[in-house]
Amino acid sequence: QVQVVESGGGSVQAGGSLRLSCVVSGFQHDAYCIGWYRRAPGKERERVATIDDGITVYADSVKGRFTISQVNAKTTVFLQMNDLVPEDTAMYYCAIGRRQYVCNYEYMYSGEGTQVTVSS
């Protein structure tokens, strides 16, 4: 059984930083995509940052401010978020899936999410 657990969310003022953590267990495939997605109220889910076969991809809105990193292969991934702006306010989800699904969230295992709130 695959389990994904996110942590590290919170409330910060604009310009602040947060570091999200994600721990994955039970995922058996060696070829995978892992990363962070977010959903703000009234908006579509957005891919924030992913790692797929060692290649990182960032949403244009977070480039230069967010950094995704991974330790212990597929078990632990972080999202360092700097220079946060109110538009970053959302529920953030960590997800992992087989590479054949090209980071499509619909085919990935995800956790319950961690809330990030940025005030101006």
Side-chain angles (χ1 to χ4, degrees):
Q1 182 178 356
V2 179
Q3 289 189 319
V4 180
V5 180
E6 306 97 336
S7 62
S11 297
V12 296
Q13 290 190 326
S17 299
L18 284 172
R19 188 191 197 208
L20 305 184
S21 301
C22 172
V23 177
V24 178
S25 60
F27 188 81
Q28 301 296 327
H29 304 281
D30 292 328
Y32 61 91
C33 169
I34 189 169
W36 293 91
Y37 299 72
R38 68 185 180 187
R39 173 170 274 176
K43 294 187 177 181
E44 297 287 326
R45 183 185 300 113
E46 176 186 21
R47 182 161 80 171
V48 177
T50 55
I51 300 174
D52 185 358
D53 195 19
I55 298 173
T56 57
V57 176
Y58 293 95
D60 287 342
S61 59
V62 307
K63 284 181 181 176
R65 300 187 299 121
F66 290 12
T67 303
I68 188 172
S69 60
Q70 189 178 21
V71 297
N72 298 326
K74 56 193 170 185
T75 62
T76 308
V77 66
F78 302 100
L79 185 68
Q80 179 66 43
M81 307 186 295
N82 299 326
D83 298 322
L84 285 161
V85 297
E87 291 74 23
D88 295 319
T89 295
M91 185 70 79
Y92 284 71
Y93 300 89
C94 177
I96 186 168
R98 296 177 66 176
R99 183 172 298 146
Q100 66 190 78
Y101 298 122
V102 290
C103 302
N104 186 331
Y105 186 86
E106 297 299 325
Y107 299 97
M108 301 173 78
Y109 297 94
S110 62
E112 296 184 352
T114 185
Q115 177 68 37
V116 172
T117 302
V118 184
S119 58
S120 58

